[in-house]
Amino acid sequence: MTWAASLAGCSPFSLVDFSASINPLGPPTGAIAAIQSNWEQLRHYPDPEYRALRQALANAHCLHPDWILPGNGAAELLTWAGRDLSGLEQTTILTPGFGDYFRALRTFGGHWLGVPLEVAHPPSSLPISLPVLPLPSELHPHGLLLNNPHNPTGWLFMRESLRPYLETHERVVVDEAFMDFLGNDPAESVVDWVQDFPNLVVVRSLTKFYSLPGLRLGYAIAHPDTLRRWQRWRDPWSVNSMAEVAAIAALADPAFQQRTWDWLPDARSRLWAGLTAIPGLQPLVSAANFLLVRAEASVPLLQQRLLQEHQILIRDCMSFAELGDRYFRVAVRTLEENQRLLTALHAVLSSLHPGAHGC
């Protein structure tokens, strides 16, 4: 954000940030109140077992707490997933893919195989089946690491298309960081399969849905033996006390959850329609709280103009090698902010390609 604010010539807090896919309705007031009323816990180390937090998460998923491991954001848990997967012959990843997957595997010398998605030919509706993935031989155990909904496309995969790979792969890690946005107990989540498949790990994020990225909090759901191994690998106090009390309060706020589920579908639909109406832009259908957009214009230039002229930040996709400089991603924000983005995009693109936008 600092580099973007410098380019825009304003404070980071003056930017309208569409680059980070964070719930614009949060944080929940209960989470803030919990931090304010528990500040004295800063004098003490957190409970390394995180019993209260694990119980709250277990209650949310109807599981025993032994099947839950909180972490310092989903990123920390993906690191340990990467260590697990790096012991296998190869891990399959859908591409374009979230950069943290490659970081985690690279850290421990892991090998991966990218399976490309047909981003240039997006589906017209969701959910869809996973593409056909390579199957390992019995002599060479493989892993599978994917996110659902997928980042950066926002596509939602039918969980039944994943089931065959649970029978053939040594380890399957499903990153459901954006699954909370689909509602209570989403149909395509595989959380309820964990107890039937010891090789399955589900990673969830609490920071995106509850708008708490500064606190860094996620959790893994997996067989207790897997989670005990991960716990031995890591620092004993990965989650700080303020993150713990905020998360417990947020999980106990059904009104905030319902407000989010009521807001997102209409806001996303309107933003998608508005982007579709702008010549030179093609947004992909998405089940998540963000949209991937193909642009005819150079996205780095578009990003620069939006910052300098409108103090709006979009996410370029240069870090996704398969997408290059003709795609950008935007979070779904409030209706007013979304309209501000649409107005700014129309103005910038009209100046870049005046003939394509009429007189």
Side-chain angles (χ1 to χ4, degrees):
M1 286 288 285
T2 302
W3 70 268
S6 177
L7 189 59
C10 67
S11 161
F13 301 105
S14 298
L15 290 175
V16 183
D17 185 11
F18 283 87
S19 70
S21 302
I22 306 298
N23 188 345
L25 306 185
T29 54
I32 301 302
I35 294 172
Q36 293 171 335
S37 61
N38 286 277
W39 66 268
E40 287 192 353
Q41 289 194 29
L42 294 175
R43 301 172 183 267
H44 309 285
Y45 284 100
D47 171 13
E49 299 295 327
Y50 300 107
R51 281 174 276 252
L53 177 54
R54 287 169 56 226
Q55 186 64 63
L57 290 165
N59 291 343
H61 293 289
C62 299
L63 291 168
H64 189 277
D66 286 351
W67 292 75
I68 306 284
L69 181 68
N72 189 246
E76 186 216 346
L77 299 162
L78 289 171
T79 296
W80 307 129
R83 180 169 176 176
D84 249 356
L85 291 165
S86 294
L88 305 178
E89 184 79 12
Q90 184 172 261
T91 296
T92 299
I93 300 177
L94 297 178
T95 58
F98 182 36
D100 245 23
Y101 302 159
F102 307 103
R103 171 200 60 82
L105 288 167
R106 198 162 40 237
T107 297
F108 299 104
H111 301 281
W112 62 84
L113 172 68
V115 174
L117 290 172
E118 293 291 334
V119 179
H121 304 284
S124 58
S125 63
L126 299 172
I128 59 174
S129 292
L130 276 170
V132 177
L133 303 175
L135 297 178
S137 70
E138 293 183 4
L139 298 178
H140 300 286
H142 283 203
L144 174 60
L145 173 56
L146 61 90
N147 44 8
N148 196 25
H150 179 258
N151 179 17
T153 65
W155 296 351
L156 180 67
F157 301 115
M158 290 183 289
R159 70 177 193 161
E160 285 301 327
S161 62
L162 174 62
R163 185 185 286 270
Y165 303 105
L166 287 164
E167 305 285 355
T168 58
H169 285 65
E170 185 80 10
R171 172 71 70 199
V172 175
V173 179
V174 182
D175 177 1
E176 293 188 350
F178 295 99
M179 191 65 77
D180 282 339
F181 287 97
L182 275 65
N184 188 31
D185 193 22
E188 306 309 330
S189 172
V190 294
V191 166
D192 62 334
W193 285 359
V194 169
Q195 291 179 300
D196 297 324
F197 293 96
N199 59 331
L200 174 62
V201 176
V202 179
V203 176
R204 287 286 191 100
S205 169
L206 287 167
T207 58
K208 296 175 175 62
F209 185 84
Y210 294 106
S211 194
L212 297 166
L215 283 181
R216 311 305 308 129
L217 189 62
Y219 60 101
I221 304 173
H223 192 281
D225 288 346
T226 297
L227 299 183
R228 280 191 286 267
R229 183 170 65 252
W230 290 16
Q231 178 68 18
R232 289 195 298 269
W233 289 342
R234 70 177 190 167
D235 181 276
W237 295 289
S238 293
V239 178
N240 69 73
S241 299
M242 296 301 97
E244 182 175 20
V245 298
I248 293 171
L251 290 164
D253 191 345
F256 176 84
Q257 297 161 5
Q258 191 61 55
R259 190 162 69 251
T260 299
W261 298 329
D262 292 341
W263 149 77
L264 179 58
D266 180 61
R268 182 179 58 221
S269 178
R270 291 191 188 197
L271 179 58
W272 185 91
L275 290 165
T276 301
I278 299 175
L281 296 183
Q282 180 189 357
L284 278 62
V285 62
S286 170
N289 62 322
F290 57 83
L291 296 172
L292 181 66
V293 186
R294 177 168 174 77
E296 293 179 7
S298 167
V299 168
L301 177 59
L302 177 60
Q303 181 189 59
Q304 178 182 336
R305 292 280 299 274
L306 287 170
L307 280 169
Q308 293 176 330
E309 299 171 20
H310 300 276
Q311 297 183 345
I312 289 174
L313 175 60
I314 62 173
R315 166 75 152 84
D316 71 60
C317 291
M318 299 294 290
S319 61
F320 300 100
E322 300 81 8
L323 297 181
D325 72 340
R326 286 299 188 269
Y327 284 88
F328 64 90
R329 196 189 67 195
V330 289
V332 181
R333 297 190 60 84
T334 66
L335 293 177
E336 295 78 10
E337 290 169 325
N338 293 342
Q339 186 55 54
R340 179 175 168 181
L341 171 68
L342 294 171
T343 301
L345 282 167
H346 190 278
V348 172
L349 289 171
S350 294
S351 68
L352 291 174
H353 303 286
H357 293 258
C359 299

